[in-house]
Amino acid sequence: MQREQQPVGQIVCYALVLLVAYLVSTTTAPLQILGYRIDLIGCVPAAVALMEGPYLGMAFGIAAGIACDMGLTGIEGLFPMYYMLFGAAAGIFADRFLRRIFPSMFLLAVASVLGLAVFRLLGFVILQIRFDLLLYAQRVCGQAMITALLSPLVYLPVRQAWKRFH
């Protein structure tokens, strides 16, 4: 079975959305709503995976992870690994169970934040760092809520690029 080639303009549009999400998420004075930092980087592989499937979702997951590594502190290499796996899983799940509509994007945006929170929680447990679990859960829920509410800022341009080239 032969896969069709992706138009270069479409990939460039997706990359521009990732660049804007990166700039919004990693400004020097972090943008916040209700005390929660705006982080739209994880929405990009979710939106691309929803529209294009697991292969392009995985590719943009790696790009989003590299963007996270460049803009945020953390153990280098773990963000690209997480977002790559998330992009592939989101693409597989979206191909089988979801339609290309906003509620699906809402679900994938929340899954992105919650998956990353579990990934970080495992890091805390492995490193045996003491932390307040309830405070962490509150931060995660707030972050998921803000990210999900702002996910149309990523979903709509990705959907428009997808419609234009399909």
Side-chain angles (χ1 to χ4, degrees):
M1 181 167 49
Q2 187 178 16
R3 295 219 9 114
E4 61 186 55
Q5 292 285 10
Q6 294 293 329
V8 174
Q10 184 178 13
I11 302 298
V12 170
C13 289
Y14 294 160
L16 288 175
V17 171
L18 178 60
L19 177 65
V20 170
Y22 170 76
L23 293 175
V24 166
S25 300
T26 61
T27 57
T28 54
L31 300 174
Q32 295 185 354
I33 297 177
L34 301 174
Y36 299 107
R37 187 176 59 81
I38 297 174
D39 185 9
L40 296 176
I41 294 175
C43 291
V44 176
V48 172
L50 180 65
M51 295 298 156
E52 299 292 341
Y55 298 112
L56 216 52
M58 184 172 55
F60 273 87
I62 292 171
I66 291 171
C68 276
D69 268 352
M70 288 182 348
L72 306 172
T73 58
I75 300 172
E76 292 187 21
L78 291 182
F79 282 121
M81 182 179 68
Y82 166 72
Y83 283 121
M84 175 190 70
L85 294 174
F86 172 74
I92 291 169
F93 187 77
D95 278 351
R96 290 194 179 157
F97 302 109
L98 300 177
R99 296 186 350 209
R100 293 179 177 103
I101 56 176
F102 178 69
S104 299
M105 176 61 192
F106 191 81
L107 175 72
L108 290 176
V110 170
S112 169
V113 172
L114 294 179
L116 188 57
V118 168
F119 194 64
R120 286 182 175 147
L121 182 64
L122 290 175
F124 291 146
V125 170
I126 289 171
L127 296 175
Q128 297 178 350
I129 296 174
R130 297 181 192 265
F131 66 98
D132 185 6
L133 184 60
L134 292 177
L135 183 61
Y136 184 72
Q138 177 192 3
R139 265 187 39 219
V140 168
C141 289
Q143 183 73 33
M145 177 186 67
I146 296 299
T147 301
L149 290 175
L150 295 176
S151 64
L153 299 174
V154 173
Y155 172 74
L156 294 173
V158 168
R159 185 184 69 172
Q160 284 302 107
W162 181 79
K163 280 184 174 181
R164 178 166 164 70
F165 291 101
H166 278 90

